[in-house]
Amino acid sequence: MSAGPRFGRVATGVAQKQLEALAQTTPGVVSAVLLSSDGFEVASLQVGSAGAARLAAMGSSLSAIGSAIAREAGIVECTRMIIESDSGVVVVMGIPDARPPLSLAVIAREDCVLGQLLWAARNCCVTIARAFRE
Amino acid sequence: MVEGEFKIVFTGPMGAGKTTAIAAISDEPPVSTDVVNNDRVAFDKELTTAGLDYGHIALADGAAVRLYGTPGQLRFRFMWDILGNNAAGIILLLDASQADALVQLDAFVDAFGAGKRSPIVVGVGRAAAAGALPLDAFAQRLESRGLTLPVFGVDVRRRDDVLLLVDTLLCLLELGDRRTA
Ligand SMILES: Nc1nc2c(ncn2[C@@H]2O[C@H](COP(=O)(O)OP(=O)(O)OP(=O)(O)O)[C@@H](O)[C@H]2O)c(=O)[nH]1
Ligand SMILES: [Mg+2]
């Protein structure tokens, strides 16, 4: 068993700052993890390391299954998945054109405003995308 | 004859060939959730399964089999339980050229109920590779734990080899049915 891959330190640093900004400016955000498409944690916020690793693996499974369903349905590319419950929301979004492919998973409380959360998470993804394209 | 539709789960460590095996036998192109593999140290290949594989085969005797593949890497362990739920049988694939193949044998056999929940058939690949463990080593390891599971040497890229595993599993299911009937 290997220790897992390393992702670029500069880009990871940018991502970490963006996750912090997301949590500070968006009411209701509980935690967030930037993850590789194969389920490794790249950066995380407000989750213990075991929690971040689990969330990264689960987020990547979700996003891989979401993409497979989108392909099956002929709608080409899954850009985000939203899991809603009475006690909170989980959003998994693809980071556009990142190399390696990445996704952002955000967990928010039920009192968050979904539109605001999605908009803020989207902006966060766009900024992170820039860092992982350079 | 076994009748109806069966759910079979292909499992085993990264690179053993679960995705390849399902693609080799599925009647239609399988559903794949393979993504870019960032851990070339764990196994040097381009893609790895993050969600599941899904395929389907209709057998000559009217039975149909739904084929599910698990991810192999341990961090996706939660998918093993989800996919293993209600499986009629398990096909465990291993790579004899990996140094930890016997440890993986134990780990996956245990994770999937040690043959007590549903029958397990073991397919060992690359047994002819230089430095690979012999097939006997796998059977002996199981025996030392008081388990007798069928063990076959297979090349997961070959349809006939994979079908042999499926057929064996269906035979075990049929035997199980007779015993409980
Ligand atoms: N040369 C050689 N290649 C093999 C043999 N058996 C399997 N392979 C190759 O090994 C690879 C197995 O990859 P996958 O089918 O993705 O393995 P997997 O078990 O689905 O792996 P994960 O989804 O990452 O857990 C494929 O590229 C096969 O072609 C063999 O006997 N010889
Ligand atoms: Mg696979």
Side-chain angles (χ1 to χ4, degrees):
Chain A
M1 194 119 319
S2 77
R6 295 279 161 267
F7 300 92
R9 204 184 308 151
V10 176
T12 308
V14 171
Q16 187 69 42
K17 291 226 166 60
Q18 286 304 312
L19 296 189
E20 281 157 20
L22 173 71
Q24 268 158 24
T25 56
T26 318
V29 170
V30 175
S31 53
V33 175
L34 180 68
L35 51 106
S36 68
S37 62
D38 62 339
F40 286 105
E41 171 197 352
V42 179
S44 69
L45 190 76
Q46 292 161 18
V47 264
S49 64
R54 277 180 69 77
L55 193 57
M58 291 184 153
S60 74
S61 296
L62 262 180
S63 118
I65 293 169
S67 295
I69 292 172
R71 271 195 305 275
E72 202 70 20
I75 56 173
V76 190
E77 194 61 70
C78 169
T79 45
R80 78 182 172 215
M81 290 181 76
I82 303 167
I83 298 170
E84 289 184 81
S85 90
D86 287 342
S87 54
V89 184
V90 183
V91 180
V92 182
M93 281 187 180
I95 307 286
D97 303 319
R99 288 281 160 267
L102 304 171
S103 297
L104 173 68
V106 182
I107 299 177
R109 286 192 309 267
E110 78 285 4
D111 60 355
C112 77
V113 179
L114 186 60
Q116 187 184 16
L117 176 69
L118 294 178
W119 184 81
R122 182 78 214 149
N123 286 343
C124 182
C125 285
V126 169
T127 314
I128 292 173
R130 242 176 265 135
F132 277 87
R133 249 180 267 142
E134 279 149 17
Chain B
M1 269 295 127
V2 278
E3 277 177 29
E5 201 175 42
F6 296 90
K7 172 181 179 179
I8 288 183
V9 174
F10 287 72
T11 194
M14 184 183 198
K18 306 168 291 291
T19 302
T20 306
I22 290 175
I25 62 169
S26 180
D27 287 339
E28 310 205 334
V31 173
S32 159
T33 60
D34 274 25
V35 296
V36 172
N37 169 32
N38 288 300
D39 195 354
R40 293 294 184 103
V41 178
F43 202 101
D44 191 10
K45 63 187 178 104
E46 201 167 326
L47 301 175
T48 186
T49 305
L52 57 101
D53 304 298
Y54 175 74
H56 187 270
I57 43 170
L59 300 175
D61 58 12
V65 185
R66 284 184 283 136
L67 311 160
Y68 289 84
T70 70
Q73 300 186 72
L74 194 58
R75 64 183 173 286
F76 297 119
R77 155 99 231 217
F78 65 94
M79 286 301 298
W80 304 355
D81 298 332
I82 292 173
L83 294 167
N85 191 24
N86 287 328
I90 306 294
I91 291 177
L92 169 53
L93 297 176
L94 294 160
D95 177 350
S97 70
Q98 296 288 317
D100 66 347
L102 293 178
V103 176
Q104 298 283 7
L105 171 71
D106 287 343
F108 278 91
V109 162
D110 288 337
F112 285 86
K116 290 180 183 70
R117 279 204 303 263
S118 48
I120 300 177
V121 173
V122 181
V124 178
R126 297 186 180 88
L133 286 159
L135 269 190
D136 269 0
F138 294 85
Q140 275 166 21
R141 179 72 158 228
L142 289 167
E143 221 168 274
S144 73
R145 306 184 46 188
L147 296 171
T148 40
L149 308 179
V151 178
F152 296 97
V154 292
D155 184 330
V156 288
R157 298 166 299 177
R158 290 175 46 187
R159 180 180 161 84
D160 287 349
D161 285 19
V162 181
L163 283 177
L164 171 69
L165 298 173
V166 173
D167 283 339
T168 306
L169 195 53
L170 292 178
C171 284
L172 289 178
L173 287 170
E174 196 181 343
L175 282 173
D177 276 355
R178 265 200 222 128
R179 243 178 248 140
T180 53

